Amino acid sequence: MKNFVVKTLANAGALAVAIWLVKDITLTGDSTGKKALTLILVALLFGVVNFIVKPVVKVLSFPLFILTLGLITFVINALMLLLTSWLAGKLDLTFHVEGFWTALLGGLIISIVSWALNVVLPDED
């Protein structure tokens, strides 16, 4: 359970950095508390998408992974971020990613920050 909470907080932190750095990734809300709650919910949604959908996409794109020497991973991360944005819209969460290139940059930022936070934060169950 502790591992789940740590990963969700790392996702939330990574998403917050991406929202802060990329102007076309937006999170809106009436108050800071509402924004924080929305960020946690989007982080949970992002974690679910990465847990369920991403492995299937990686298996199906394995030939492209070999062909591009792993660079397809950036595209897959961008698509997972776009899927999270779409699902957030369907769930009335005020999180939006505008376009593929924004998602590609956001996915790169989220990957780097999430990796760094997972290194720093404890990883115990």
Side-chain angles (χ1 to χ4, degrees):
M1 182 67 177
K2 191 178 193 182
N3 191 22
F4 174 74
V5 172
V6 168
K7 286 188 182 280
T8 301
L9 290 176
N11 276 341
L15 283 165
V17 170
I19 291 166
W20 179 58
L21 289 177
V22 182
K23 71 177 180 98
D24 287 335
I25 299 177
T26 58
L27 177 76
T28 56
D30 299 335
S31 65
T32 305
K34 185 162 174 103
K35 284 182 182 179
L37 179 63
T38 302
L39 184 64
I40 295 295
L41 292 174
V42 170
L44 283 169
L45 184 62
F46 188 63
V48 169
V49 166
N50 280 331
F51 182 73
I52 295 173
V53 179
K54 193 173 183 178
V56 174
V57 173
K58 278 186 154 183
V59 167
L60 293 175
S61 65
F62 186 70
L64 287 174
F65 184 81
I66 293 172
L67 185 67
T68 63
L69 301 175
L71 292 177
I72 193 71
T73 304
F74 295 124
V75 174
I76 292 171
N77 288 342
L79 293 175
M80 296 304 109
L81 189 58
L82 283 172
L83 179 60
T84 302
S85 174
W86 180 78
L87 288 171
K90 294 294 180 187
L91 296 173
D92 289 330
L93 297 172
T94 56
F95 173 76
H96 183 67
V97 178
E98 185 67 40
F100 175 76
W101 295 107
T102 301
L104 190 68
L105 179 59
L108 180 62
I109 292 168
I110 290 169
S111 295
I112 292 169
V113 173
S114 181
W115 170 79
L117 287 175
N118 280 316
V119 166
V120 172
L121 294 173
D123 191 20
E124 301 169 0
D125 254 342

